[in-house]
Short mmCIF file of all heavy atoms in Angstrom, two decimals:
data_model
loop_
_atom_site.label_atom_id
_atom_site.label_comp_id
_atom_site.label_asym_id
_atom_site.label_seq_id
_atom_site.Cartn_x
_atom_site.Cartn_y
_atom_site.Cartn_z
N THR A 1 -136.17 73.97 18.85
CA THR A 1 -135.29 73.46 17.81
C THR A 1 -135.65 74.03 16.45
O THR A 1 -134.77 74.46 15.69
CB THR A 1 -135.35 71.93 17.76
OG1 THR A 1 -134.95 71.41 19.02
CG2 THR A 1 -134.46 71.37 16.68
N SER A 2 -136.92 74.02 16.13
CA SER A 2 -137.36 74.51 14.83
C SER A 2 -137.03 75.98 14.63
O SER A 2 -136.52 76.38 13.57
CB SER A 2 -138.87 74.28 14.67
OG SER A 2 -139.19 72.92 14.82
N GLY A 3 -137.31 76.78 15.65
CA GLY A 3 -137.02 78.21 15.56
C GLY A 3 -135.54 78.49 15.42
O GLY A 3 -135.12 79.35 14.63
N THR A 4 -134.73 77.75 16.17
CA THR A 4 -133.29 77.92 16.10
C THR A 4 -132.75 77.50 14.74
O THR A 4 -131.90 78.18 14.15
CB THR A 4 -132.59 77.09 17.20
OG1 THR A 4 -133.09 77.51 18.48
CG2 THR A 4 -131.08 77.30 17.16
N LEU A 5 -133.24 76.37 14.21
CA LEU A 5 -132.82 75.91 12.89
C LEU A 5 -133.12 76.94 11.81
O LEU A 5 -132.28 77.23 10.96
CB LEU A 5 -133.50 74.59 12.56
CG LEU A 5 -132.82 73.31 13.04
CD1 LEU A 5 -133.75 72.12 12.87
CD2 LEU A 5 -131.52 73.07 12.29
N VAL A 6 -134.31 77.48 11.86
CA VAL A 6 -134.70 78.49 10.87
C VAL A 6 -133.79 79.72 10.97
O VAL A 6 -133.28 80.22 9.96
CB VAL A 6 -136.18 78.90 11.07
CG1 VAL A 6 -136.51 80.12 10.22
CG2 VAL A 6 -137.10 77.75 10.71
N ALA A 7 -133.59 80.20 12.20
CA ALA A 7 -132.77 81.41 12.40
C ALA A 7 -131.34 81.21 11.93
O ALA A 7 -130.76 82.05 11.23
CB ALA A 7 -132.80 81.81 13.88
N VAL A 8 -130.74 80.08 12.31
CA VAL A 8 -129.33 79.82 11.98
C VAL A 8 -129.13 79.59 10.49
O VAL A 8 -128.20 80.13 9.88
CB VAL A 8 -128.78 78.63 12.80
CG1 VAL A 8 -127.37 78.25 12.34
CG2 VAL A 8 -128.77 78.97 14.28
N THR A 9 -129.99 78.77 9.88
CA THR A 9 -129.84 78.48 8.45
C THR A 9 -130.06 79.71 7.59
O THR A 9 -129.41 79.89 6.56
CB THR A 9 -130.79 77.35 8.01
OG1 THR A 9 -132.14 77.66 8.42
CG2 THR A 9 -130.38 76.03 8.62
N GLN A 10 -130.99 80.55 8.00
CA GLN A 10 -131.21 81.80 7.27
C GLN A 10 -130.01 82.72 7.39
O GLN A 10 -129.59 83.34 6.40
CB GLN A 10 -132.48 82.49 7.77
CG GLN A 10 -133.77 81.79 7.32
CD GLN A 10 -135.01 82.50 7.81
OE1 GLN A 10 -134.96 83.38 8.68
NE2 GLN A 10 -136.16 82.12 7.26
N LYS A 11 -129.47 82.84 8.60
CA LYS A 11 -128.29 83.67 8.82
C LYS A 11 -127.10 83.17 8.03
O LYS A 11 -126.33 83.95 7.46
CB LYS A 11 -127.95 83.70 10.32
CG LYS A 11 -126.73 84.53 10.69
CD LYS A 11 -126.99 86.01 10.58
CE LYS A 11 -125.80 86.82 11.10
NZ LYS A 11 -126.01 88.28 10.94
N ALA A 12 -126.95 81.85 7.93
CA ALA A 12 -125.81 81.26 7.23
C ALA A 12 -126.04 81.13 5.73
O ALA A 12 -125.11 80.79 4.99
CB ALA A 12 -125.51 79.88 7.82
N GLY A 13 -127.26 81.39 5.28
CA GLY A 13 -127.57 81.24 3.86
C GLY A 13 -127.62 79.79 3.41
O GLY A 13 -127.33 79.47 2.25
N LEU A 14 -127.98 78.88 4.33
CA LEU A 14 -128.00 77.45 4.03
C LEU A 14 -129.35 76.97 3.52
O LEU A 14 -129.46 75.86 3.00
CB LEU A 14 -127.61 76.64 5.27
CG LEU A 14 -126.20 76.90 5.83
CD1 LEU A 14 -126.01 76.16 7.14
CD2 LEU A 14 -125.15 76.49 4.82
N ALA A 15 -130.40 77.78 3.68
CA ALA A 15 -131.72 77.41 3.20
C ALA A 15 -131.86 77.78 1.73
O ALA A 15 -131.18 78.69 1.23
CB ALA A 15 -132.79 78.10 4.04
N ASP A 16 -132.76 77.07 1.03
CA ASP A 16 -132.97 77.39 -0.38
C ASP A 16 -133.86 78.62 -0.52
O ASP A 16 -134.27 79.24 0.47
CB ASP A 16 -133.54 76.19 -1.14
CG ASP A 16 -134.92 75.75 -0.63
OD1 ASP A 16 -135.64 76.57 -0.01
OD2 ASP A 16 -135.29 74.58 -0.86
N LYS A 17 -134.20 78.98 -1.76
CA LYS A 17 -134.95 80.21 -2.00
C LYS A 17 -136.37 80.17 -1.42
O LYS A 17 -136.98 81.21 -1.19
CB LYS A 17 -135.02 80.50 -3.51
CG LYS A 17 -135.71 79.40 -4.33
CD LYS A 17 -135.70 79.77 -5.81
CE LYS A 17 -136.40 78.68 -6.64
NZ LYS A 17 -136.37 79.02 -8.09
N ASN A 18 -136.87 78.96 -1.19
CA ASN A 18 -138.20 78.82 -0.60
C ASN A 18 -138.15 78.68 0.92
O ASN A 18 -139.17 78.47 1.57
CB ASN A 18 -138.91 77.60 -1.20
CG ASN A 18 -139.15 77.76 -2.69
OD1 ASN A 18 -139.53 78.83 -3.16
ND2 ASN A 18 -138.93 76.68 -3.45
N GLY A 19 -136.94 78.79 1.46
CA GLY A 19 -136.77 78.67 2.90
C GLY A 19 -136.65 77.25 3.40
O GLY A 19 -136.59 77.02 4.62
N ASN A 20 -136.60 76.29 2.49
CA ASN A 20 -136.48 74.89 2.89
C ASN A 20 -135.04 74.58 3.28
O ASN A 20 -134.09 75.06 2.65
CB ASN A 20 -136.93 73.97 1.75
CG ASN A 20 -138.39 74.18 1.39
OD1 ASN A 20 -139.23 74.32 2.27
ND2 ASN A 20 -138.70 74.20 0.09
N MET A 21 -134.89 73.76 4.31
CA MET A 21 -133.57 73.44 4.83
C MET A 21 -133.14 72.03 4.43
O MET A 21 -133.90 71.08 4.67
CB MET A 21 -133.56 73.56 6.36
CG MET A 21 -133.74 74.97 6.87
SD MET A 21 -134.09 75.02 8.66
CE MET A 21 -135.85 74.68 8.65
N PRO A 22 -131.98 71.90 3.82
CA PRO A 22 -131.50 70.55 3.49
C PRO A 22 -131.14 69.77 4.75
O PRO A 22 -130.79 70.35 5.77
CB PRO A 22 -130.25 70.82 2.63
CG PRO A 22 -129.77 72.18 3.09
CD PRO A 22 -131.03 72.95 3.43
N ARG A 23 -131.26 68.47 4.67
CA ARG A 23 -130.89 67.58 5.79
C ARG A 23 -131.63 67.92 7.08
O ARG A 23 -131.11 67.76 8.19
CB ARG A 23 -129.37 67.62 6.04
CG ARG A 23 -128.53 67.35 4.80
CD ARG A 23 -127.04 67.45 5.07
NE ARG A 23 -126.63 68.74 5.64
CZ ARG A 23 -126.50 69.86 4.95
NH1 ARG A 23 -126.70 69.86 3.64
NH2 ARG A 23 -126.13 70.99 5.55
N LEU A 24 -132.86 68.42 6.94
CA LEU A 24 -133.65 68.82 8.11
C LEU A 24 -133.92 67.63 9.03
O LEU A 24 -133.83 67.74 10.26
CB LEU A 24 -134.97 69.45 7.66
CG LEU A 24 -135.94 69.88 8.79
CD1 LEU A 24 -135.28 70.91 9.70
CD2 LEU A 24 -137.23 70.44 8.19
N GLY A 25 -134.24 66.49 8.42
CA GLY A 25 -134.51 65.30 9.22
C GLY A 25 -133.32 64.90 10.07
O GLY A 25 -133.48 64.50 11.23
N ARG A 26 -132.13 65.01 9.50
CA ARG A 26 -130.92 64.65 10.24
C ARG A 26 -130.69 65.61 11.41
O ARG A 26 -130.30 65.19 12.51
CB ARG A 26 -129.69 64.67 9.32
CG ARG A 26 -129.67 63.54 8.30
CD ARG A 26 -128.33 63.46 7.61
NE ARG A 26 -128.24 62.34 6.70
CZ ARG A 26 -127.13 61.93 6.13
NH1 ARG A 26 -125.98 62.56 6.38
NH2 ARG A 26 -127.13 60.89 5.31
N ALA A 27 -130.93 66.90 11.17
CA ALA A 27 -130.75 67.90 12.22
C ALA A 27 -131.70 67.65 13.39
O ALA A 27 -131.30 67.72 14.56
CB ALA A 27 -130.97 69.31 11.65
N LEU A 28 -132.94 67.35 13.08
CA LEU A 28 -133.93 67.08 14.12
C LEU A 28 -133.62 65.77 14.86
O LEU A 28 -133.80 65.67 16.07
CB LEU A 28 -135.32 67.02 13.51
CG LEU A 28 -135.86 68.36 13.00
CD1 LEU A 28 -137.10 68.15 12.16
CD2 LEU A 28 -136.14 69.32 14.13
N SER A 29 -133.13 64.79 14.12
CA SER A 29 -132.75 63.53 14.74
C SER A 29 -131.55 63.71 15.67
O SER A 29 -131.46 63.06 16.72
CB SER A 29 -132.41 62.49 13.67
OG SER A 29 -133.54 62.23 12.85
N ALA A 30 -130.65 64.59 15.29
CA ALA A 30 -129.50 64.89 16.15
C ALA A 30 -129.95 65.48 17.47
O ALA A 30 -129.47 65.11 18.55
CB ALA A 30 -128.55 65.86 15.44
#
């Protein structure tokens, strides 16, 4: 899950400049 989240958010440009992902807790809970 973590690897996929990182790959997808980076590809979509959804992560911030530090690579942090918004709503990460919600994604993992899902």
Side-chain angles (χ1 to χ4, degrees):
T1 300
S2 302
T4 302
L5 273 169
V6 170
V8 173
T9 52
Q10 287 181 347
K11 180 73 174 177
L14 299 174
D16 62 23
K17 61 181 180 181
N18 297 319
N20 298 317
M21 293 168 278
R23 307 178 303 283
L24 178 60
R26 290 191 176 190
L28 291 168
S29 298

